[in-house]
Amino acid sequence: MNKGGSIFKYILKKLIFMIPMLVIISFLIFMALQFMPVDPINYLLPPDAAQNEALRESLRETYGLNDPVIVQYGRWITNILKGDFGYSITNGQQISTILAQKLPATLELAITALIISSVLGILLGILSAVNQNGVIDYIGRVIGVVGQSIPQFLFGIILIDIFALKLGKFPVGGRNLYGLVTFGDKLHNMFLPSLALSLGMIATVLRYTRNSMLDVMNKEYIKTARSKGVPEWKVYLKHAFRNSIGPIMVTILLRIPGLIGGSVVIESVFNWPGIGSTLMGAVTSGDYPIIMVITLLIATVMLVVSFMVDVLSAILDPRIRLD
């Protein structure tokens, strides 16, 4: 079988494998919330009827909470497959409507952070490798260590304190300002939370780029290119970086779920109206339907990214068996 056919078969096998994984993950999410000590019916009862056991039992029967757990799970996952994500317990709003309102804000933040971290991480990694054991390399190592040591929320608070409160260059938080409607208008608001979200990824990409570049620069074909009189900048970019891009791309893909997960904290720090802050609010209020759907969404993103990494690795690395 040719390579194209083998890759197609490999992709198909990975896609089929994702189905039972999603089922297992969704079941674990559902079961985990079933064992929470708080009864979701408490949020549906008015304060003066909190001790009304008859009304409580009637509501449990209405919402199917007295059914066996496996029946409740089957009903929940079937509705999700139909596009019915259920309703929020606290305000009765459709969860699909909430996602439609909140998801674009999270995607804006995650994509901007991905671009910032990829560009800065790769650029600093190349400079660090080219100037090995020099001043730039030491600065790059410090950034790599600090970026993976400082929690994102602490870095966000530091950015707010310096650039928003003391210098007044950026807003403290929020996604929109009055009269600003385009994506370009929002970049001013988006810069600080995106930078805070991308800090850890900058450090990771920087270190992987530096190590990959140094590994490639010791290869024989690099020495051959230099012996032929190829300019140094071309050796670094055309030969060294191009041949080290595979591990770097895999690293970037693997960090995407971290951007989505990290937005939970960063959105709260910067009052950013995305699914991260929505999840935090749902946890605080015990809004289980929203918690389950958003958690399942994040888990699905992680699975999809893992699938993309496997496929990219199979395409770039001939040592991986495709059968």
Side-chain angles (χ1 to χ4, degrees):
M1 185 182 294
N2 58 37
K3 185 173 178 61
S6 298
I7 291 177
F8 176 78
K9 184 178 178 181
Y10 180 80
I11 292 174
L12 185 61
K13 182 173 68 174
K14 289 292 182 181
L15 283 172
I16 294 173
F17 180 72
M18 285 176 62
I19 296 174
M21 289 298 298
L22 278 173
V23 172
I24 294 172
I25 290 172
S26 63
F27 183 73
L28 291 175
I29 291 171
F30 186 85
M31 289 301 298
L33 289 173
Q34 289 297 311
F35 289 106
M36 293 291 285
V38 180
D39 188 348
I41 293 299
N42 292 340
Y43 298 95
L44 300 178
L45 289 170
D48 57 348
Q51 304 301 322
N52 191 331
E53 292 299 328
L55 179 57
R56 179 186 297 272
E57 194 63 25
S58 175
L59 286 173
R60 291 189 65 85
E61 194 68 35
T62 299
Y63 286 94
L65 297 178
N66 287 332
D67 295 337
V69 172
I70 193 66
V71 174
Q72 295 183 47
Y73 168 75
R75 182 167 54 239
W76 176 64
I77 202 67
T78 301
N79 288 337
I80 284 181
L81 292 175
K82 293 177 180 178
D84 179 8
F85 299 133
Y87 295 83
S88 167
I89 289 178
T90 56
N91 59 25
Q93 191 176 11
Q94 279 191 327
I95 296 178
S96 58
T97 302
I98 295 174
L99 291 179
Q101 294 171 347
K102 304 296 185 179
L103 191 56
T106 296
L107 291 178
E108 286 176 1
L109 200 61
I111 292 172
T112 305
L114 180 64
I115 294 172
I116 291 174
S117 57
S118 299
V119 172
L120 290 181
I122 290 174
L123 179 61
L124 292 173
I126 292 175
L127 292 175
S128 185
V130 170
N131 298 277
Q132 185 182 13
N133 296 325
V135 175
I136 296 178
D137 187 25
Y138 286 121
I139 294 174
R141 293 184 194 180
V142 170
I143 294 174
V145 172
V146 171
Q148 293 186 318
S149 302
I150 298 181
Q152 289 178 326
F153 76 90
L154 178 60
F155 187 57
I157 293 172
I158 293 172
L159 291 177
I160 290 174
D161 182 59
I162 296 175
F163 293 101
L165 299 180
K166 292 182 179 177
L167 299 179
K169 298 297 183 181
F170 294 93
V172 174
R175 183 188 181 201
N176 297 316
L177 291 178
Y178 180 76
L180 303 183
V181 293
T182 67
F183 180 75
D185 293 332
K186 296 174 185 176
L187 285 176
H188 188 65
N189 287 39
M190 200 182 303
F191 180 73
L192 289 186
S194 297
L195 185 59
L197 185 59
S198 63
L199 174 67
M201 187 168 174
I202 290 174
T204 302
V205 174
L206 187 159
R207 295 176 68 176
Y208 269 86
T209 301
R210 177 185 181 274
N211 293 338
S212 296
M213 286 281 292
L214 290 176
D215 182 60
V216 169
M217 284 163 60
N218 291 324
K219 302 295 184 182
E220 289 298 324
Y221 58 83
I222 298 295
K223 298 176 183 177
T224 302
R226 281 179 170 149
S227 67
K228 292 181 178 180
V230 176
E232 281 295 296
W233 67 268
K234 187 174 289 189
V235 171
Y236 293 135
L237 295 181
K238 186 177 180 181
H239 296 279
F241 178 67
R242 189 174 67 179
N243 286 283
S244 61
I245 192 66
I248 297 171
M249 290 302 298
V250 170
T251 301
I252 291 174
L253 284 175
L254 285 173
R255 295 295 297 176
I256 291 177
L259 294 179
I260 304 296
S263 69
V264 173
V265 176
I266 293 300
E267 287 180 7
S268 298
V269 172
F270 287 90
N271 193 28
W272 192 264
I275 61 171
S277 57
T278 302
L279 178 60
M280 291 290 286
V283 171
T284 303
S285 63
D287 201 337
Y288 294 151
I290 291 182
I291 296 173
M292 288 192 296
V293 170
I294 293 181
T295 305
L296 181 60
L297 176 63
I298 294 174
T300 302
V301 170
M302 292 182 177
L303 264 182
V304 171
V305 170
S306 177
F307 162 75
M308 293 170 62
V309 169
D310 288 341
V311 172
L312 181 63
S313 299
I315 293 173
L316 296 177
D317 193 343
R319 295 171 298 180
I320 296 178
R321 293 175 59 88
L322 299 178
D323 52 4

